[in-house]
Amino acid sequence: MANNLSLRAADNIRILSAAMVEKAQSGHPGGPMGGADFIHILYSEFLNYDPNDMHWPLRDRFFLDAGHMSAMLYAQQTLLGNYSLEDIINFRQWGSPTPGHPEVDVDRGIENTSGPLGLGHTFGIGSAIAERFLAQRFGEEVAHKTYIYISDGGVQEEISQGAGRIAGFLGLGNIVMFYDANDIQLSTEVSAVTSEDTAMKYEAWHWHVQTIVGNDHDALRAAIKSAIAETDRPSLIIGKTIMGKGVKKEDGSDYEGEVELHGKPLGQSKASFAKTIEGLGGDSSNPFQIFPDVAEYYRTVLDQKRSSAAARKVKYAAWEKANPVQAEKLATWLSGKLPEINWGEIAQKENDATRNASGNVLAYLAGRVENLIVASADLSNSDKTDSYLKKTTAFTKGDFSGSFLQAGVAELTMAALATGMSLHGGIVPVCATFFAFSDYMKPAIRVAALMEKQVIFVWTHDAFRVGEDGPTHQPVEQEAQLRLLEQLKNHSGKNSVLALRPADVHETTICWKLALENQHSPSGLILSRQNITDLPAASSRFAEATQAERGAYIVQNCAGTPDVILVANGSEVATLVAGAKKLSDEKGLKVRIVSAPSEGLFRNQTVDYQETVLPSNVPTFGLTAGLPVTMRGLVGTRGRVWGLSHFGYSAPFKVLDEKFGFTAENVFQQVVSLLG
Amino acid sequence: MANNLSLRAADNIRILSAAMVEKAQSGHPGGPMGGADFIHILYSEFLNYDPNDMHWPLRDRFFLDAGHMSAMLYAQQTLLGNYSLEDIINFRQWGSPTPGHPEVDVDRGIENTSGPLGLGHTFGIGSAIAERFLAQRFGEEVAHKTYIYISDGGVQEEISQGAGRIAGFLGLGNIVMFYDANDIQLSTEVSAVTSEDTAMKYEAWHWHVQTIVGNDHDALRAAIKSAIAETDRPSLIIGKTIMGKGVKKEDGSDYEGEVELHGKPLGQSKASFAKTIEGLGGDSSNPFQIFPDVAEYYRTVLDQKRSSAAARKVKYAAWEKANPVQAEKLATWLSGKLPEINWGEIAQKENDATRNASGNVLAYLAGRVENLIVASADLSNSDKTDSYLKKTTAFTKGDFSGSFLQAGVAELTMAALATGMSLHGGIVPVCATFFAFSDYMKPAIRVAALMEKQVIFVWTHDAFRVGEDGPTHQPVEQEAQLRLLEQLKNHSGKNSVLALRPADVHETTICWKLALENQHSPSGLILSRQNITDLPAASSRFAEATQAERGAYIVQNCAGTPDVILVANGSEVATLVAGAKKLSDEKGLKVRIVSAPSEGLFRNQTVDYQETVLPSNVPTFGLTAGLPVTMRGLVGTRGRVWGLSHFGYSAPFKVLDEKFGFTAENVFQQVVSLLG
């Protein structure tokens, strides 16, 4: 492409971006105007996709970290025909497909939701891991590139440490990350915040680093080519760009690289919107236009994308024909269809810790759900993902034949990588750590929930019964915190997270089934460190535990109307069973026990079912190792909750059970007092 | 010290550490045995403190990041006389001062709580910033060193990116950080997780880096000396240590550097506890002993510490005498005593956004509370800390004359740095970002809460009324999440966090007062982006807003018993006021309106007061821009809550108000329906 036309296209992106922000009277014009050159060169000359088949699994991926630069991406996708001018005129308006920060919308070329910085590029690295996993199994026929766009803010986010380290360690040569280094951030120049040698830092992680003038089209082309040619290491292109490139003041003089251009419309700054648009060759009274020559050029670009995708599909069809078993397997993975799993066949040890039960499930799934990738943040022997690791190998540089990721001590990174694998497709990602450390992961959990992507979180060491490790490692508020996301509905109207705390080994199997089958939101399994006595069962405990699929169910009933209902989840249910025996033996009370691994799931059942399990007119006692509020929604106005209202202490868990009142004796006393 | 005696002392630490873990039958023996040499050399030959005055403000600080290595620190402090043998025999037991992970206890030389990796070293860097802030104001007379101990896991934690960058940017030459690089982490060898060139990475952040054999006492001495001599850059000593140094098997052969030595008692591994203790010169049947020669040596160490502290105190007294005003100011800051503040004098603009009101408070406090350090994670112009910045300057390398920290985009780091400043003493730390990003900060908030330290969090953009930035930037569950920590009691039995969401500009002033005066826990101010109509007031609105100090109060009452009570906080209170007018005008209802900036504070009031404000027999309607559960505790069984049960959307906030039902009209309809 001739550079003058190429510059026209980039200027067109600049105009559309600035116009969107001006029209909305909110947004970020400066970044898009600096990044326009890269995005145009990337999309028009490098990024492979099929305009007729946006979900094509072999498409190159583009992950935007800097979500505030949405206008740039929308402008680019407008040139590609994925948004209408009407769509971008309605930037940031109710009901438009152009929200202030991009939300995943593969139909329109938006691969990920972004906004909270750092997550987007880590999603990209996770997606690149998924790509390598598939390429190792199905051959380079299924390979593609992963392009990532990161800004000064994203590079500063702590998660860049985990993402950079892991991409370098794994030698992810399929990654080309463009760092839009415009030296300006929201509130200051970058030099007011950092003096780091970013190139050196990424080199310390074994990235291939190039530094170029990021608005120079030939330099961009050469750098991207060189990055693509580097297959042994991830590539970082540090593009020194000019924030607000093309911005002019009323007197026609340049007004580029100014902090105030980061986050407000040009018309609210010292710049002139009209002069800027005109300087870029646009019509300031009607800036939402695609230049005819640029439109014409993009028609040829789209033709080229279509024809090269078609050619690749022909080759791929030949591969499918030559490898029908492989091809079918890949198609199945990409469809999300799971193999038949005989859950009842999974051997569980009696009265075991639910973390061990989870380990047994994972060991069973190994080799059966072949597209499972399990990660642990350096706790595999504690969170019991090691049972899976024993059946496979961990990823190393250039070797993705196993299906385990040693994430190291980097919980947020791990969560975002797993989310990125899910975004790629074809993978069921699992990641594990202690429940207390779910705190580190919250930003990624929230965005995964918003994107409605499957990620299975295995959180062990679920309560103060962690024991000796003390209050820093003892979750108290975490279950209630997670259930807030269960209460929060996603854009599809469903629980944005499924939170599952099974009461014994058999419920653990069922909760794993729920998590695996829940492909439209993250699921969290909250598991005990300590052994738990299996719940009573009239016949097969496993068969009875299947009722956990309804979120809450009757574990032990009485004849007629109960005098009291005891409700809990996790290991507290077994304590209720012991307490109930005392209540019936010593007081002759009719007691029902309810196990409620997921209040969210339970509330999705019919009102009739809910009323059958927890009738509103029966006194109810709730027990929780979390804050009392954790069980308040289930106990409601009917009764009393015994929970933990303070930080834990370091001591053996049985001592803590006594000290904190998590005993049959205290259940007995509380219920007697409740019934007055 | 002769090296043979020095080694004896380190071996004594190894023995005590291994014995503690063995006795408790839980804990981490390997790390302490590798780090014993450094800790002994540091404490005996370098670290300045006064054994008779553990809180001496001029003491050197030691921050442990790797909390699982608590046994090493307890063993060291036992040699120094801060723990008895009985204390360490009761390692990890109920009621002992030796919890599994250390909890701040300055009397015994424990400067910080640690456990969740990465936080501890960032606290240290925050503390070092506080030290530089004070040294710049009071001279090098008040200077001291900050020593930090970090492990492989801590270096991997994402927060190390923020901490390393900022320490390097600020040229914190007062920091000596020892990186215990033993190449083993909990579940694997480090090489299975990372290949980063850590020295190079820290050099990219402009640290002074030395790599040594971390068990070599002479090398340790030389490196610490060289690190102390470097005053222009923070120093990193990468000590290549042997994990489980001295561990032996039953046959007497070495069994060092094994992964399984990380996290379980020697007796549960392939090692022999007895052979190990004996090999280190101890008595395996009675390992809790201090070698007589080591005890004798430490007596001389303590004498030396006392005499050098005494000498320094003489010099300091001379300085105090020569600089009485300065000395009194410093003493006041260190005491935590605040200057008199005439809160009513702070000018607020009518009907303004509470973020702006907060900015006005900060501008007023500038120069009045001179030991305030305000930080922003690159949002000062949005979170309105810029009003403070305008009255001061941001820290730069070697210049701490201002009192503003440009944290960059690194929310968790900022929160931990602020906590570290608080740990140092003499500082009131404030840090600001968007409320949605409080998610990033949770791990630090929790540990600050556990440590009962003052940190003032300014969180603006508090609800969906962020508007156009969309769901990634619109908090929904965050207030309920934060209030979980308000419900959680700390070890002193108080709310572990104070969460304050003021309803108008005057309440904002009062909430700032509460936060500033709350020196025993973190406080969070949750503030609006958009303007809010001031609440009605019979006389002075400021005077009436002072009632916010009780957590909840009557803003507008009616004659006699109300037909309905409306309760909310933040900008929803103004919506209630509008709705109440409609209810009384159109339905003739008697309506009371309650503003509840902090449910936690309200629940600390007398039952009488609570019942006076929210009587249990009056129908109550709660309004919240958060999840309905946010207001459930206040509304209780008395009524109905209108909240937001789903993620937000990108659109102007007034559109969202309409779409989501946050209008006077909907308040009217909901209340009419509630009263049926």
Side-chain angles (χ1 to χ4, degrees):
Chain A
M1 187 184 195
N3 268 344
N4 57 346
L5 183 54
S6 181
L7 269 172
R8 286 268 291 169
D11 284 345
N12 210 159
I13 292 171
R14 283 185 258 276
I15 291 169
L16 293 174
S17 299
M20 277 184 246
V21 174
E22 205 69 19
K23 177 74 170 49
Q25 281 297 295
S26 84
H28 305 78
M33 299 179 80
D37 304 282
F38 170 79
I39 197 89
H40 158 67
I41 296 285
L42 176 70
Y43 269 89
S44 60
E45 303 184 26
F46 293 95
L47 193 125
N48 294 308
Y49 79 106
D50 184 350
N52 297 343
D53 179 13
M54 296 297 287
H55 289 263
W56 184 32
L58 273 53
R59 71 190 183 278
D60 289 340
R61 303 297 196 276
F62 175 78
F63 287 88
L64 182 65
D65 192 275
H68 59 281
M69 292 173 68
S70 57
M72 175 185 78
L73 186 54
Y74 298 147
Q76 178 63 56
Q77 296 291 351
T78 303
L79 296 188
L80 293 163
N82 288 322
Y83 288 89
S84 68
L85 291 174
E86 188 66 19
D87 290 333
I88 62 172
I89 287 170
N90 285 317
F91 180 55
R92 297 181 152 237
Q93 304 309 306
W94 179 263
S96 82
T98 46
H101 291 82
E103 296 177 43
V104 62
D105 185 354
V106 176
D107 283 332
R108 295 171 183 278
I110 312 296
E111 297 283 357
N112 66 296
T113 298
S114 52
L117 295 173
L119 296 176
H121 85 288
T122 315
F123 296 154
I125 291 167
S127 175
I129 292 173
E131 187 267 354
R132 285 294 88 195
F133 178 91
L134 297 175
Q136 181 123 10
R137 280 153 182 77
F138 301 104
E140 295 298 320
E141 283 81 1
V142 305
H144 63 80
K145 287 285 165 193
T146 300
Y147 297 96
I148 300 174
Y149 191 108
I150 194 169
S151 64
D152 289 298
V155 165
Q156 282 165 31
E157 274 291 355
E158 294 94 337
I159 196 174
S160 68
Q161 152 74 33
R165 169 179 61 79
I166 290 173
F169 176 71
L170 296 178
L172 295 172
N174 54 344
I175 289 175
V176 179
M177 183 159 86
F178 181 74
Y179 165 25
D180 176 14
N182 64 27
D183 293 340
I184 302 291
Q185 46 196 99
L186 188 144
S187 66
T188 63
E189 296 182 5
V190 171
S191 60
V193 166
T194 182
S195 56
E196 78 166 19
D197 183 335
T198 304
M200 186 176 176
K201 185 178 75 174
Y202 277 87
E203 279 162 1
W205 289 323
H206 311 297
W207 286 55
H208 163 232
V209 182
Q210 304 173 72
T211 302
I212 62 165
V213 174
N215 298 110
D216 176 332
H217 290 209
D218 285 333
L220 284 164
R221 289 182 184 105
I224 298 171
K225 269 181 203 153
S226 163
I228 289 173
E230 168 66 60
T231 57
D232 212 31
R233 293 177 293 170
S235 275
L236 180 70
I237 300 170
I238 303 180
K240 305 300 285 184
T241 59
I242 296 170
M243 215 272 287
K245 186 169 166 56
V247 175
K248 294 199 183 298
K249 288 201 278 195
E250 190 55 40
D251 65 6
S253 62
D254 286 346
Y255 189 68
E256 299 174 325
E258 297 289 335
V259 174
E260 70 165 341
L261 301 178
H262 174 97
K264 60 183 176 189
L266 298 187
Q268 290 179 23
S269 76
K270 295 197 193 80
S272 159
F273 175 73
K275 284 291 190 313
T276 300
I277 298 303
E278 287 154 20
L280 291 165
D283 174 354
S284 63
S285 65
N286 181 17
F288 288 102
Q289 296 187 50
I290 301 177
F291 296 152
D293 49 345
V294 172
E296 175 57 30
Y297 173 67
Y298 264 94
R299 274 190 287 277
T300 67
V301 165
L302 286 173
D303 286 346
Q304 183 274 322
K305 301 284 183 206
R306 282 188 200 96
S307 66
S308 75
R312 184 138 188 226
K313 284 178 176 182
V314 168
K315 278 181 65 181
Y316 185 75
W319 174 82
E320 278 184 304
K321 202 164 175 186
N323 302 277
V325 177
Q326 288 286 83
E328 197 192 331
K329 181 183 279 191
L330 177 55
T332 305
W333 292 7
L334 291 167
S335 75
K337 192 168 176 298
L338 293 168
E340 286 294 319
I341 295 165
N342 184 349
W343 293 95
E345 173 183 291
I346 299 174
Q348 294 290 10
K349 204 177 129 196
E350 279 181 20
N351 308 320
D352 204 1
T354 54
R355 64 169 169 156
N356 292 334
S358 169
N360 292 338
V361 173
L362 276 168
Y364 182 86
L365 296 180
R368 285 188 169 84
V369 182
E370 293 177 79
N371 56 335
L372 210 63
I373 295 180
V374 178
S376 174
D378 192 30
L379 290 172
S380 59
N381 38 358
S382 289
D383 61 36
K384 299 304 171 191
T385 53
D386 62 352
S387 68
Y388 187 84
L389 178 55
K390 279 174 194 144
K391 302 212 166 189
T392 183
T393 54
F395 300 145
T396 55
K397 185 171 153 76
D399 181 3
F400 295 83
S401 58
S403 47
F404 195 92
L405 173 66
Q406 291 283 14
V409 187
E411 297 80 6
L412 178 59
T413 307
M414 176 174 71
L417 290 175
T419 306
M421 294 175 199
S422 194
L423 283 167
H424 182 278
I427 304 293
V428 181
V430 178
C431 60
T433 185
F434 290 165
F435 192 37
F437 302 157
S438 65
D439 281 353
Y440 284 107
M441 309 164 99
K442 172 76 204 295
I445 300 167
R446 189 177 207 258
V447 177
L450 180 58
M451 294 193 295
E452 305 180 18
K453 298 316 289 183
Q454 177 171 40
V455 181
I456 301 175
F457 293 96
V458 173
W459 286 308
T460 66
H461 297 60
D462 66 349
F464 67 81
R465 297 189 193 85
V466 166
E468 291 92 336
D469 274 341
T472 58
H473 285 54
Q474 294 171 357
V476 184
E477 76 281 19
Q478 277 77 6
E479 185 185 344
Q481 179 173 305
L482 184 66
R483 292 200 187 279
L484 295 175
L485 289 178
E486 208 177 41
Q487 291 173 41
L488 184 71
K489 299 298 191 291
N490 61 27
H491 287 345
S492 301
K494 304 222 170 97
N495 311 79
S496 71
V497 160
L498 183 58
L500 300 155
R501 187 162 179 253
D504 69 3
V505 295
H506 300 289
E507 270 193 26
T508 305
T509 301
I510 299 304
C511 288
W512 253 106
K513 174 175 188 286
L514 289 166
L516 199 64
E517 292 174 353
N518 173 28
Q519 301 187 325
H520 300 290
S521 90
S523 301
L525 294 155
I526 307 169
L527 304 167
S528 78
R529 172 176 186 259
Q530 87 286 1
N531 289 346
I532 304 175
T533 305
D534 287 350
L535 299 185
S539 58
S540 147
R541 175 63 198 135
F542 174 77
E544 299 198 11
T546 58
Q547 298 172 83
E549 298 202 35
R550 304 180 81 168
Y553 66 102
I554 300 167
V555 166
Q556 185 173 290
N557 214 347
C558 53
T561 304
D563 297 313
V564 66
I565 300 177
L566 314 184
V567 58
N569 64 23
S571 47
E572 289 87 89
V573 184
T575 309
L576 292 183
V577 172
K581 184 166 186 317
K582 228 171 130 63
L583 287 165
S584 97
D585 288 356
E586 297 180 24
K587 293 279 176 181
L589 288 171
K590 290 189 288 177
V591 182
R592 172 186 293 177
I593 300 170
V594 171
S595 174
S598 165
E599 183 180 353
L601 259 185
F602 180 61
R603 294 298 175 210
N604 293 344
Q605 308 303 312
T606 63
V607 174
D608 272 0
Y609 177 74
Q610 295 181 47
E611 186 66 19
T612 306
V613 175
L614 290 176
S616 46
N617 57 353
V618 178
T620 303
F621 173 75
L623 185 68
T624 171
L627 287 170
V629 73
T630 315
M631 207 44 63
R632 181 49 67 189
L634 288 167
V635 171
T637 59
R638 291 178 297 268
R640 177 182 298 190
V641 177
W642 185 264
L644 195 66
S645 296
H646 52 78
F647 281 111
Y649 289 88
S650 169
F653 79 87
K654 288 187 177 168
V655 174
L656 297 179
D657 268 339
E658 291 290 333
K659 297 285 182 187
F660 297 161
F662 287 80
T663 60
E665 177 59 32
N666 191 47
V667 168
F668 175 84
Q669 290 187 1
Q670 293 299 322
V671 171
V672 168
S673 145
L674 167 67
L675 299 180
Chain B
M1 187 185 194
N3 268 344
N4 58 347
L5 183 53
S6 180
L7 269 171
R8 287 267 290 170
D11 284 346
N12 211 157
I13 292 171
R14 283 185 258 275
I15 290 169
L16 294 174
S17 300
M20 277 184 245
V21 175
E22 204 69 19
K23 177 74 170 47
Q25 282 296 295
S26 84
H28 305 78
M33 299 179 80
D37 304 283
F38 169 79
I39 197 90
H40 158 67
I41 297 286
L42 175 71
Y43 268 89
S44 60
E45 302 183 28
F46 293 95
L47 192 125
N48 293 309
Y49 79 105
D50 184 350
N52 297 343
D53 180 11
M54 296 296 286
H55 289 262
W56 184 33
L58 274 53
R59 70 190 183 279
D60 289 340
R61 303 296 197 277
F62 175 78
F63 287 89
L64 182 65
D65 191 276
H68 60 280
M69 291 174 67
S70 58
M72 175 186 79
L73 186 54
Y74 297 147
Q76 178 62 56
Q77 296 291 354
T78 302
L79 297 187
L80 293 163
N82 288 323
Y83 288 88
S84 68
L85 290 173
E86 188 66 20
D87 290 334
I88 62 172
I89 287 169
N90 285 317
F91 179 57
R92 297 181 152 237
Q93 303 309 307
W94 180 262
S96 82
T98 46
H101 291 80
E103 296 176 43
V104 62
D105 184 354
V106 175
D107 283 333
R108 296 172 183 276
I110 312 295
E111 297 282 357
N112 66 296
T113 299
S114 51
L117 296 174
L119 296 176
H121 86 287
T122 315
F123 296 155
I125 291 167
S127 176
I129 292 173
E131 188 266 353
R132 284 295 88 194
F133 178 91
L134 297 175
Q136 180 122 10
R137 280 152 182 78
F138 301 104
E140 294 298 320
E141 282 81 1
V142 305
H144 62 81
K145 287 284 165 194
T146 300
Y147 298 96
I148 300 174
Y149 191 108
I150 194 169
S151 63
D152 290 298
V155 165
Q156 281 164 31
E157 274 290 357
E158 293 94 337
I159 196 174
S160 68
Q161 151 74 31
R165 167 178 62 80
I166 290 173
F169 175 70
L170 296 178
L172 295 172
N174 53 345
I175 289 175
V176 180
M177 182 158 88
F178 181 74
Y179 164 25
D180 176 14
N182 64 28
D183 294 339
I184 301 291
Q185 46 197 98
L186 189 145
S187 67
T188 62
E189 296 182 6
V190 171
S191 60
V193 167
T194 182
S195 55
E196 78 166 19
D197 182 335
T198 304
M200 185 176 177
K201 185 178 75 173
Y202 277 87
E203 279 161 0
W205 289 323
H206 311 296
W207 286 56
H208 164 232
V209 181
Q210 305 172 71
T211 302
I212 62 165
V213 174
N215 299 110
D216 177 332
H217 291 209
D218 285 333
L220 284 163
R221 290 182 183 104
I224 298 171
K225 271 182 202 152
S226 162
I228 290 172
E230 168 66 61
T231 57
D232 212 33
R233 293 177 294 171
S235 275
L236 180 70
I237 300 170
I238 302 180
K240 305 299 286 183
T241 59
I242 295 170
M243 215 272 287
K245 185 168 165 58
V247 175
K248 293 198 183 298
K249 288 200 278 193
E250 190 55 42
D251 65 6
S253 62
D254 287 345
Y255 189 69
E256 299 173 325
E258 298 288 336
V259 174
E260 69 165 342
L261 300 178
H262 175 97
K264 61 184 177 188
L266 299 185
Q268 290 178 23
S269 76
K270 294 197 193 79
S272 159
F273 175 72
K275 284 290 189 313
T276 300
I277 300 303
E278 287 154 19
L280 291 166
D283 174 354
S284 63
S285 65
N286 181 16
F288 288 101
Q289 296 187 50
I290 301 177
F291 296 153
D293 49 345
V294 171
E296 175 57 31
Y297 173 67
Y298 265 92
R299 275 190 286 276
T300 67
V301 165
L302 287 173
D303 285 345
Q304 183 273 323
K305 300 284 183 205
R306 281 187 201 98
S307 67
S308 74
R312 182 135 190 230
K313 285 178 176 182
V314 168
K315 279 181 64 181
Y316 185 76
W319 175 83
E320 278 184 304
K321 204 164 173 186
N323 302 276
V325 177
Q326 287 286 82
E328 198 192 329
K329 181 183 280 189
L330 177 56
T332 305
W333 292 6
L334 291 167
S335 75
K337 193 166 175 300
L338 294 168
E340 287 294 320
I341 295 165
N342 184 348
W343 293 95
E345 174 182 293
I346 299 174
Q348 294 290 11
K349 204 178 129 196
E350 278 181 20
N351 308 321
D352 204 0
T354 56
R355 65 169 168 154
N356 292 334
S358 169
N360 292 338
V361 173
L362 276 168
Y364 182 86
L365 296 179
R368 285 188 170 84
V369 182
E370 294 178 78
N371 56 335
L372 211 63
I373 295 180
V374 178
S376 174
D378 192 29
L379 289 171
S380 59
N381 38 358
S382 290
D383 60 36
K384 298 304 169 190
T385 55
D386 62 352
S387 68
Y388 187 84
L389 178 55
K390 279 174 194 145
K391 302 211 165 188
T392 183
T393 55
F395 300 146
T396 56
K397 185 171 154 78
D399 181 3
F400 295 83
S401 58
S403 47
F404 195 93
L405 173 66
Q406 291 283 15
V409 187
E411 297 80 6
L412 179 59
T413 307
M414 176 173 72
L417 291 174
T419 307
M421 294 176 199
S422 194
L423 283 167
H424 182 278
I427 304 294
V428 182
V430 178
C431 59
T433 185
F434 289 164
F435 193 36
F437 302 158
S438 65
D439 281 353
Y440 283 108
M441 309 164 98
K442 172 76 203 296
I445 301 168
R446 188 176 207 258
V447 177
L450 181 58
M451 296 193 294
E452 304 180 19
K453 298 317 287 184
Q454 179 171 39
V455 180
I456 301 176
F457 293 97
V458 173
W459 286 308
T460 66
H461 297 60
D462 66 349
F464 67 80
R465 297 189 192 85
V466 167
E468 291 92 338
D469 273 342
T472 58
H473 285 54
Q474 293 172 357
V476 184
E477 76 282 19
Q478 276 77 7
E479 185 184 345
Q481 179 173 304
L482 184 66
R483 292 200 187 278
L484 295 175
L485 289 178
E486 207 177 41
Q487 291 173 39
L488 184 72
K489 298 298 190 294
N490 60 28
H491 287 346
S492 300
K494 304 224 171 95
N495 311 79
S496 71
V497 160
L498 183 58
L500 300 154
R501 187 162 180 254
D504 68 4
V505 295
H506 300 289
E507 270 193 26
T508 305
T509 301
I510 299 304
C511 287
W512 252 107
K513 175 175 187 286
L514 288 166
L516 200 64
E517 291 174 354
N518 172 27
Q519 301 188 325
H520 301 290
S521 90
S523 300
L525 294 155
I526 308 169
L527 304 167
S528 77
R529 172 177 187 259
Q530 87 286 3
N531 288 347
I532 303 175
T533 304
D534 287 351
L535 298 185
S539 58
S540 147
R541 174 65 196 133
F542 174 77
E544 297 196 13
T546 58
Q547 299 172 82
E549 298 201 34
R550 304 180 83 168
Y553 67 102
I554 301 168
V555 166
Q556 184 173 290
N557 214 347
C558 52
T561 304
D563 296 313
V564 66
I565 300 177
L566 314 184
V567 58
N569 65 22
S571 47
E572 289 86 272
V573 184
T575 308
L576 292 182
V577 172
K581 184 165 186 319
K582 229 172 129 62
L583 286 164
S584 96
D585 288 355
E586 297 180 22
K587 293 278 176 183
L589 289 171
K590 291 188 290 177
V591 182
R592 172 185 293 178
I593 299 170
V594 171
S595 174
S598 164
E599 183 180 354
L601 259 185
F602 180 62
R603 294 299 175 210
N604 294 344
Q605 308 303 312
T606 63
V607 173
D608 272 0
Y609 178 74
Q610 294 182 47
E611 186 65 19
T612 305
V613 175
L614 289 176
S616 46
N617 57 352
V618 177
T620 303
F621 173 74
L623 185 67
T624 172
L627 287 170
V629 73
T630 314
M631 208 42 65
R632 180 50 65 189
L634 288 167
V635 171
T637 58
R638 289 179 298 269
R640 177 182 298 189
V641 177
W642 184 265
L644 194 67
S645 296
H646 53 77
F647 281 110
Y649 289 88
S650 170
F653 79 87
K654 288 187 178 169
V655 174
L656 297 178
D657 268 337
E658 291 290 333
K659 298 285 182 186
F660 297 163
F662 287 80
T663 60
E665 177 59 32
N666 190 46
V667 168
F668 175 83
Q669 290 188 0
Q670 292 299 321
V671 171
V672 169
S673 145
L674 168 68
L675 299 180

